[in-house]
């Protein structure tokens, strides 16, 4: 008899935990469809990486700055070459279509190089006229591990639901024991 009560309490706790998982997963867009373009600033003629996740079918990507690209449903990325005649300094919209869901991402075309190649970009380094300066900071690569997007309100609500479910199961099992014993 005791094993049935313990199993019931465990099942109730696992059920409560399972019901809180979708709420923790659903941040932002309800569809789970996400799209990115890397790099977000590119020179004419260069390639960009198109990434789409959360779509169960092929994703169609279109923009006024490159030919339409299809990301097959079994893949998450594809490459596109920006038109060589893209207007420098312009911002183009890149649209990702996944069935009825769609997202837009901006793609900026980098400003021009000097008109005269014999004139260096960097007066302090005349030996390297075409190379840009090195960045002074590291790469921004992701959200920072397991604590990224930490939402204390959602964690607290999930913990309260689990505690309430376990407390209710314990209370009901103890009440039955007292009824059986008297």
């Amino acid at each position: 008899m005791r094993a049935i009560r313990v199993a019931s309490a465990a099942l109730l706790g696992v059920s409560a935990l399972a019901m809180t998982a979708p709420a923790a997963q659903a941040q932002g867009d309800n569809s789970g469809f996400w799209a990115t373009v890397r790099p977000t600033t590119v020179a004419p003629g260069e390639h960009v990486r198109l990434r789409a996740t959360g779509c169960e079918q092929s994703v169609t990507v279109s923009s006024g700055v490159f030919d339409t690209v299809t990301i097959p449903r079994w893949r998450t990325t594809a490459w596109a070459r920006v038109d060589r005649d893209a207007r420098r300094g312009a911002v183009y919209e890149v649209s990702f279509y996944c069935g009825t869901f769609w997202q837009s991402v901006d793609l900026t075309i980098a400003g021009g190089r000097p008109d005269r190649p014999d004139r260096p970009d960097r007066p302090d380094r005349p030996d390297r006229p075409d190379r840009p300066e090195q960045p002074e900071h590291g790469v921004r690569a992701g959200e920072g591990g397991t604590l990224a997007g930490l939402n204390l309100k959602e964690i607290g609500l999930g913990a309260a639901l689990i505690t309430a479910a376990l407390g209710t199961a314990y209370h009901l099992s103890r009440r039955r024991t007292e009824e059986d014993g008297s």
Side-chain angles (χ1 to χ4, degrees), residues 40-41 63 65 87-94 105-109:
T40 55
T41 302
S63 177
V65 73
R87 197 177 56 175
R88 295 179 184 275
V91 177
Y92 290 90
E93 183 177 273
V94 179
V105 179
D106 287 338
L107 176 64
T108 305
I109 306 302

Side-chain angles (χ1 to χ4, degrees), residues 35 39 44 51 58 65 88 101 108 110 125 128 131 137-138 151 163 181:
R51 180 174 170 85
S58 294
V65 73
R88 295 179 184 275
F101 298 105
T108 305
R125 302 278 309 265
R128 299 178 67 187
R131 294 197 179 181
H137 53 80
N151 187 334
T163 303

Side-chain angles (χ1 to χ4, degrees), residues 100-132:
T100 59
F101 298 105
W102 65 274
Q103 284 195 357
S104 294
V105 179
D106 287 338
L107 176 64
T108 305
I109 306 302
R113 292 189 177 181
D115 294 331
R116 294 184 351 209
D118 58 334
R119 194 180 106 227
D121 282 359
R122 299 177 57 198
D124 61 324
R125 302 278 309 265
D127 59 321
R128 299 178 67 187
D130 292 334
R131 294 197 179 181

Side-chain angles (χ1 to χ4, degrees), residues 138-154:
V139 175
R140 296 190 67 198
E143 294 186 13
T146 58
L147 296 179
L150 181 67
N151 187 334
L152 292 177
K153 187 194 290 187
E154 288 177 357

Side-chain angles (χ1 to χ4, degrees), residues 16-17 19-21 23-24 152-165:
L17 183 62
M19 292 210 176
T20 59
L152 292 177
K153 187 194 290 187
E154 288 177 357
I155 291 173
L157 181 61
L161 286 172
I162 291 170
T163 303

Side-chain angles (χ1 to χ4, degrees), residues 14 19 36 54 58 70 72 74 78-81 104 112 140 149 158:
V14 168
M19 292 210 176
T36 58
S58 294
T70 300
W74 62 87
W79 292 88
R81 174 175 257 177
S104 294
R140 296 190 67 198

Side-chain angles (χ1 to χ4, degrees), residues 1-181:
M1 194 70 151
R2 178 128 175 105
I4 293 174
R5 281 186 243 129
V6 171
S8 297
L11 184 61
L12 189 58
V14 168
S15 298
L17 183 62
M19 292 210 176
T20 59
Q25 188 66 23
Q27 294 180 358
D29 187 8
N30 292 333
S31 70
F33 174 56
W34 294 98
T36 58
V37 175
R38 293 287 182 253
T40 55
T41 302
V42 65
E46 291 185 358
H47 287 87
V48 290
R49 181 177 180 206
L50 309 169
R51 180 174 170 85
T53 58
C55 186
E56 298 295 324
Q57 55 191 332
S58 294
V59 176
T60 303
V61 186
S62 63
S63 177
V65 73
F66 56 78
D67 294 332
T68 301
V69 175
T70 300
I71 302 173
R73 70 181 183 106
W74 62 87
R75 303 222 23 208
T76 57
T77 61
W79 292 88
R81 174 175 257 177
V82 175
D83 294 338
R84 292 190 184 278
D85 60 347
R87 197 177 56 175
R88 295 179 184 275
V91 177
Y92 290 90
E93 183 177 273
V94 179
S95 298
F96 293 78
Y97 298 95
C98 170
T100 59
F101 298 105
W102 65 274
Q103 284 195 357
S104 294
V105 179
D106 287 338
L107 176 64
T108 305
I109 306 302
R113 292 189 177 181
D115 294 331
R116 294 184 351 209
D118 58 334
R119 194 180 106 227
D121 282 359
R122 299 177 57 198
D124 61 324
R125 302 278 309 265
D127 59 321
R128 299 178 67 187
D130 292 334
R131 294 197 179 181
E133 291 186 36
Q134 296 296 320
E136 295 179 11
H137 53 80
V139 175
R140 296 190 67 198
E143 294 186 13
T146 58
L147 296 179
L150 181 67
N151 187 334
L152 292 177
K153 187 194 290 187
E154 288 177 357
I155 291 173
L157 181 61
L161 286 172
I162 291 170
T163 303
L166 291 174
T168 302
Y170 177 77
H171 176 71
L172 291 175
S173 68
R174 295 297 293 167
R175 193 171 79 186
R176 282 191 189 147
T177 304
E178 290 172 2
E179 289 175 359
D180 289 342

